[in-house]
Amino acid sequence: MTAVAALLAGLAAGEVEILDLTAPLSPETPILQLPPPFANTIPLSLETVSDFDEAGPAWGWNNIHTGEHTGTHLDAPVHWATGRDGYSVDAIPPSRLVGPAVVLDFTAEAAEDPDFVLEPEHLDKHVANNGPIPEGAWLVFRTGWSRFNKDAAAFANADENGPHTPGVSPAGAEWLARSPITGFAVETVGVDAGQAGAMEPPFPVHHYLLGANKFGLTQLQNLERLPASGALIIASPLPIVGGTGSPARVLAIIPA
Ligand code: MN
């Protein structure tokens, strides 16, 4: 039996399940809000072309208006100054979008401290307990933050000092960039902590990870159903030519 046949047999027998890690995409989906003088992208909106009316009696269809970095989305290396010689979203080899999931659960720490950041010692401890991170893995940072994703204010958790959401320290981001992962996946609006603009360098995950020609994956949900290891993640951004990112459907193949 080929490996694909084994997978199909597992699906047919109910031994394998497809889990959707994607947040629903609507005009209400929270998006990043940068402070002035920086510009922001637009939220998703649908513009009706026809709706079973005179403009199209037997068909409905819409134009979509959206930023590249809206909802569950992939950050391509060219999104950041350090990654400008790397892949645009269309140029990413498909094999780099599919990989084993390695889930690090910091839900309790993020509930205690919304500014919690991953440090090298957290990552070293994971490797000491579980063995090396496999080549091409999606490292998934589970924080429980997706429980807020229908409430933009709670999701951003901002005060006069900006947003307070979990992320990664500069040293942790360097660790990720040196690791064999294909990318880093989070539940929050972006791969960096809410307070990452004040770090050195600012937005260290963007700086180091995209600079290493790796990817970010944001606004995932249903991570509580993802096993710590043993799942396969498939990220499918649109191949926008020259694009810096794209909304993506993200699926996990898990043992039932
Ligand atoms: Mn982004």
Side-chain angles (χ1 to χ4, degrees):
M1 200 190 278
T2 67
V4 174
L7 174 60
L8 290 169
L11 278 166
E15 294 161 4
V16 172
E17 203 179 323
I18 307 295
L19 176 64
D20 197 346
L21 305 182
T22 319
L25 189 54
S26 81
E28 283 74 47
T29 301
I31 61 171
L32 186 68
Q33 288 297 331
L34 295 175
F38 305 117
N40 283 291
T41 61
I42 55 168
L44 177 90
S45 64
L46 294 181
E47 175 196 358
T48 304
V49 176
S50 76
D51 186 22
F52 309 99
D53 50 21
E54 213 171 89
W59 55 93
W61 55 351
N62 305 303
N63 290 319
I64 55 174
H65 298 261
T66 183
E68 294 170 324
H69 297 250
T70 298
T72 301
H73 72 271
L74 182 135
D75 281 357
V78 296
H79 176 44
W80 214 252
T82 49
R84 287 176 78 175
D85 296 330
Y87 295 125
S88 53
V89 70
D90 57 305
I92 299 171
S95 61
R96 293 276 316 266
L97 297 171
V98 177
V102 173
V103 184
L104 273 63
D105 183 8
F106 287 91
T107 305
E109 288 81 355
E112 179 105 344
D113 174 14
D115 291 316
F116 172 80
V117 287
L118 265 183
E119 296 283 1
E121 42 271 37
H122 299 119
L123 295 156
D124 287 336
K125 190 175 162 200
H126 177 87
V127 170
N129 292 337
N130 301 280
I133 307 273
E135 184 74 36
W138 283 106
L139 190 77
V140 179
F141 181 40
R142 185 179 156 203
T143 57
W145 213 259
S146 62
R147 70 186 182 277
F148 301 125
N149 71 7
K150 287 181 183 64
D151 178 342
F155 196 66
N157 195 32
D159 62 15
E160 65 280 5
N161 298 316
H164 296 275
T165 57
V168 186
S169 75
E174 280 191 275
W175 193 104
L176 294 176
R178 279 196 311 266
S179 79
I181 63 171
T182 197
F184 180 63
V186 301
E187 294 180 61
T188 45
V189 78
V191 288
D192 267 300
Q195 290 291 299
M199 293 178 183
E200 189 45 53
F203 306 103
V205 179
H206 286 85
H207 181 95
Y208 290 116
L209 194 76
L210 302 184
N213 216 19
K214 298 177 187 291
F215 320 122
L217 207 50
T218 71
Q219 253 161 296
L220 299 185
Q221 61 177 30
N222 296 329
L223 297 186
E224 67 284 355
R225 297 200 48 214
L226 202 55
S229 65
L232 176 77
I233 288 183
I234 302 170
S236 55
L238 297 174
I240 300 167
V241 175
T244 72
S246 166
R249 195 75 180 248
V250 181
L251 302 176
I253 300 179
I254 61 172

